[in-house]
């Protein structure tokens, strides 16, 4: 009996040892497969990083080319057109003045498009430089008012500015804040019929300041409220004024707002107007 028990125990021990050996083999094989898969994924990630870096390098070269090869001649076209308009080379007929005005208008449009493309590309690549400091809200309002008033008068609109705190300040890049607000005002003018109102209001909070641009224009369809912040998206309407933009202004404005620690949002009712609200950190 004792011999049978010893043989049984020995057999069980051999089976257990064999099972352990097979399990170890399977584990080692699985570990090798996992290691090979990980190495393959690591190589793929490294290749993806190289491809991304190559794309960024190509984008940098493209931006450099745009900056020189497009902006420089466009600036020259504008300069020559301005000289012709001043009649330095002789008097112009009414038809010639009309043609020169058309050249200058389209030159400015193309230059604005190139500058907006450059801004958007720099923001997306993380190479956009902001000069953050305390920015008086009152100074921003006075500056944009001066710039937008000619359009307001030409379109027979009324501009209202409501700001109760002359000492209110933002922590932001002043040039970019003015760029955003001016873009919002220009859009409001474009989509507000004659006799309407464009209004700027400020609302100071504990840590943020809200600056809103409201209009009594045609409004934005509900389905396009989110889309208006996408590049090259425009609200199509036969009621909008002539001179469509590039569809980049709102996309750039929101990216700039977020880069400065804020945001840009919109509320609108079709046929009753829109309200764009820029929120930025309070200084």
């Amino acid at each position: 009996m004792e011999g049978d028990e010893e043989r049984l125990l020995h057999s069980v021990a051999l089976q257990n040892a064999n099972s352990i050996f097979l399990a170890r083999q399977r584990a080692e094989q699985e570990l090798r497969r996992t290691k090979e898969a990980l190495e393959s994924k690591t190589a793929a990630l490294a290749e993806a990083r190289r491809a991304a870096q190559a794309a960024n390098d190509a984008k940098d070269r493209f931006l450099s080319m745009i900056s020189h090869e497009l902006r420089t001649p466009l600036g020259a076209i504008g300069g020559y057109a301005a000289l012709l308009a001043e009649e330095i080379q002789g008097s112009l007929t009414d038809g010639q003045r009309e043609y020169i005005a058309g050249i200058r208008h389209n030159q400015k449009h193309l230059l604005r498009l190139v500058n907006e493309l450059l801004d958007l590309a720099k923001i997306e690549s993380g190479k956009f430089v902001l000069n953050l400091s305390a920015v008086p809200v009152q100074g921003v309002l006075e500056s944009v008012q001066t710039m937008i008033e000619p359009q307001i008068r030409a379109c027979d609109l009324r501009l209202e500015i409501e700001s109760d705190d002359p000492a209110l300040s933002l922590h932001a890049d002043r040039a970019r804040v003015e760029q955003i607000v001016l873009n919002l005002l220009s859009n409001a003018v474009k989509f507000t019929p004659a006799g309407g109102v464009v209004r700027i209001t400020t609302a100071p909070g504990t840590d943020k300041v809200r600056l809103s641009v409201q209009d009594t224009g045609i409004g934005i369809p509900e389905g396009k409220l989110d889309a208006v912040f996408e590049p090259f998206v425009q609200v199509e309407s036969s009621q909008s004024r002539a001179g469509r933009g590039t569809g980049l202004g709102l996309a750039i404005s929101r990216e700039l707002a977020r880069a400065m620690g804020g945001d840009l949002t919109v509320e609108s009712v079709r046929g009753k107007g829109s309200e764009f609200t820029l929120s930025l950190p309070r200084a």
Side-chain angles (χ1 to χ4, degrees):
M1 291 293 293
E2 292 181 359
D4 292 339
E5 290 180 356
E6 289 179 0
R7 285 192 294 272
L8 179 60
L9 290 173
H10 181 68
S11 175
V12 170
L14 287 176
Q15 290 177 359
N16 288 338
N18 187 50
S19 297
I20 292 171
F21 176 74
L22 292 174
R24 182 176 179 180
Q25 277 189 324
R26 288 194 294 269
E28 289 177 348
Q29 291 173 355
E30 185 63 29
L31 182 61
R32 281 196 298 270
R33 285 194 292 268
T34 302
K35 184 179 179 181
E36 290 172 356
L38 183 59
E39 289 174 348
S40 177
K41 289 182 178 179
T42 301
L45 286 173
E47 181 60 30
R49 281 195 295 269
R50 285 193 292 271
Q53 185 59 49
N56 282 333
D57 292 342
K59 180 187 286 186
D60 289 341
R61 291 192 298 271
F62 178 67
L63 291 178
S64 178
M65 181 274 291
I66 286 182
S67 180
H68 178 72
E69 300 296 337
L70 292 181
R71 285 205 297 186
T72 300
L74 281 173
I77 291 170
Y80 287 128
L83 290 174
L84 288 172
E86 292 175 6
E87 299 184 291
I88 294 176
Q89 298 296 326
S91 60
L92 301 172
T93 66
D94 291 341
Q96 289 171 332
R97 291 192 187 92
E98 183 179 347
Y99 290 153
I100 291 173
I103 291 171
R104 298 182 71 180
H105 173 79
N106 285 283
Q107 179 266 342
K108 290 177 181 178
H109 177 75
L110 286 173
L111 189 58
R112 184 171 66 254
L113 174 58
V114 169
N115 287 332
E116 287 178 345
L117 285 170
L118 286 169
D119 282 349
L120 187 62
K122 288 178 181 178
I123 291 171
E124 290 178 345
S125 64
K127 297 180 179 180
F128 200 86
V129 178
L130 293 169
N131 298 311
L132 302 177
S133 63
V135 179
V137 172
Q138 189 64 32
V140 171
L141 296 179
E142 291 173 357
S143 178
V144 296
Q145 181 181 5
T146 300
M147 289 185 279
I148 200 65
E149 273 188 339
Q151 295 180 49
I152 292 287
R153 289 194 298 269
C155 296
D156 191 24
L157 301 174
R158 187 170 77 254
L159 177 65
E160 298 179 354
I161 298 178
E162 300 175 6
S163 181
D164 298 329
D165 187 356
L168 189 63
S169 292
L170 307 167
H171 181 67
D173 184 318
R174 175 163 181 162
R176 297 307 174 182
V177 174
E178 292 183 358
Q179 177 182 346
I180 295 171
V181 177
L182 187 60
N183 179 65
L184 297 179
L185 288 170
S186 297
N187 284 346
V189 169
K190 185 192 305 182
F191 294 105
T192 302
V197 178
V198 175
R199 182 180 297 109
I200 309 175
T201 61
T202 60
T206 303
D207 57 348
K208 291 284 179 68
V209 174
R210 294 191 305 278
L211 196 158
S212 298
V213 174
Q214 308 159 0
D215 64 63
T216 57
I218 62 176
I220 302 170
E222 186 177 354
K224 285 194 173 183
L225 284 176
D226 293 329
V228 295
F229 293 110
E230 298 299 323
F232 302 107
V233 171
Q234 296 177 327
V235 178
E236 300 293 344
S237 173
S238 59
Q239 301 178 59
S240 63
R241 300 190 186 280
R244 292 170 50 194
T246 62
L248 289 172
L250 288 176
I252 292 173
S253 294
R254 187 173 66 171
E255 292 299 324
L256 286 173
R258 291 178 174 179
M260 292 186 287
D263 204 356
L264 180 61
T265 58
V266 62
E267 294 180 2
S268 183
V269 177
R270 187 67 169 166
K272 294 186 177 181
S274 304
E275 178 178 358
F276 285 84
T277 300
L278 170 66
S279 61
L280 289 170
R282 184 170 182 170

